[in-house]
Amino acid sequence: MSNEIIIGISGASGIQYGIRLLEALKDMRGFETHLVISESAKKLIKIETDYSVRDVESLGDHVYGDDDFTAPVASGSHRSKGMIIAPCSMKTLASVAVGMSDTLISRAADVCLKEKRPLVLMVRETPLNLIHIENMARAARAGASILPACPAFYPKPDSIEDITNFMAGRALDLLGIGHDMYRRWKG
């Protein structure tokens, strides 16, 4: 199985989750990342972090524009271990839920679903309306894992970094990738 991971960063608050995933995968070695950042996410990188878009792009092994449908990740014949969209905006969720492959992020997600590869949607919105909930249910029925950006507090986080590590770690768990990013529940 391929050790290539697709990371989509869409335009929702929580850009740090996608960045942390890229950092973790780079530190783990043995994984190759394909990064797609939406135009809205590029604006949020500047608002929510001290990173530049270029800094975030440098964390990916391969970087594509969200309108680049010639990218390898747009095809089912390109093998990957799966995809994580972190954060996943409600717009991106809606596109995935109805199979509207109008961006590279939603197309790569559609490829994962049709090829039965893991797709993790770290949705980031609150409160949720019925449309959001129905779109999450629709995406889950299609095979996606819905991972709301709701950190647990049993690991007793001391910092925002601890909270970010928890959520990034949970996303990696759903792809079956071992790590030690957070203290696991022991009962």
Side-chain angles (χ1 to χ4, degrees):
M1 179 53 122
S2 170
N3 275 337
E4 297 184 30
I5 310 293
I6 305 162
I7 301 292
I9 300 178
S10 71
S13 186
I15 295 297
Q16 297 85 345
Y17 296 124
I19 293 170
R20 184 63 188 113
L21 282 163
L22 290 165
E23 291 169 341
L25 289 165
K26 189 173 273 311
D27 289 346
M28 288 180 197
R29 303 186 196 273
F31 290 98
E32 191 174 332
T33 57
H34 294 263
L35 173 62
V36 186
I37 305 172
S38 75
E39 290 305 311
S40 295
K42 289 178 181 179
K43 293 174 186 170
L44 285 172
I45 288 169
K46 296 174 189 173
I47 293 169
E48 291 190 350
T49 75
D50 293 329
Y51 289 87
S52 69
V53 171
R54 187 179 309 262
D55 292 336
V56 177
E57 289 176 338
S58 74
L59 296 170
D61 295 306
H62 307 279
V63 180
Y64 313 101
D66 201 19
D67 60 350
D68 184 0
F69 289 94
T70 65
V73 298
S75 173
S77 66
H78 180 84
R79 301 290 307 221
S80 76
K81 188 168 182 67
M83 179 176 190
I84 302 169
I85 303 177
C88 181
S89 68
M90 290 298 114
K91 176 184 177 190
T92 300
L93 168 67
S95 293
V96 171
V98 299
M100 186 185 328
S101 299
D102 60 338
T103 66
L104 183 56
I105 291 175
S106 59
R107 173 60 189 163
D110 186 60
V111 166
C112 285
L113 292 175
K114 76 183 187 74
E115 299 293 331
K116 306 290 189 232
R117 296 180 191 143
L119 171 63
V120 178
L121 305 178
M122 191 183 294
V123 294
R124 227 307 306 149
E125 184 62 72
T126 190
L128 298 169
N129 68 39
L130 184 57
I131 295 167
H132 301 150
I133 293 166
E134 288 175 347
N135 283 337
M136 283 188 268
R138 191 173 291 116
R141 281 192 301 273
S145 292
I146 307 300
L147 179 64
C150 300
F153 290 92
Y154 61 80
K156 297 183 180 172
D158 291 322
S159 65
I160 291 173
E161 182 180 339
D162 289 346
I163 291 170
T164 305
N165 281 340
F166 178 83
M167 289 308 306
R170 291 296 292 137
L172 293 176
D173 287 346
L174 289 168
L175 289 188
I177 297 173
H179 62 84
D180 60 358
M181 295 179 69
Y182 65 91
R183 188 173 55 87
R184 296 185 180 276
W185 176 256
K186 299 217 190 276

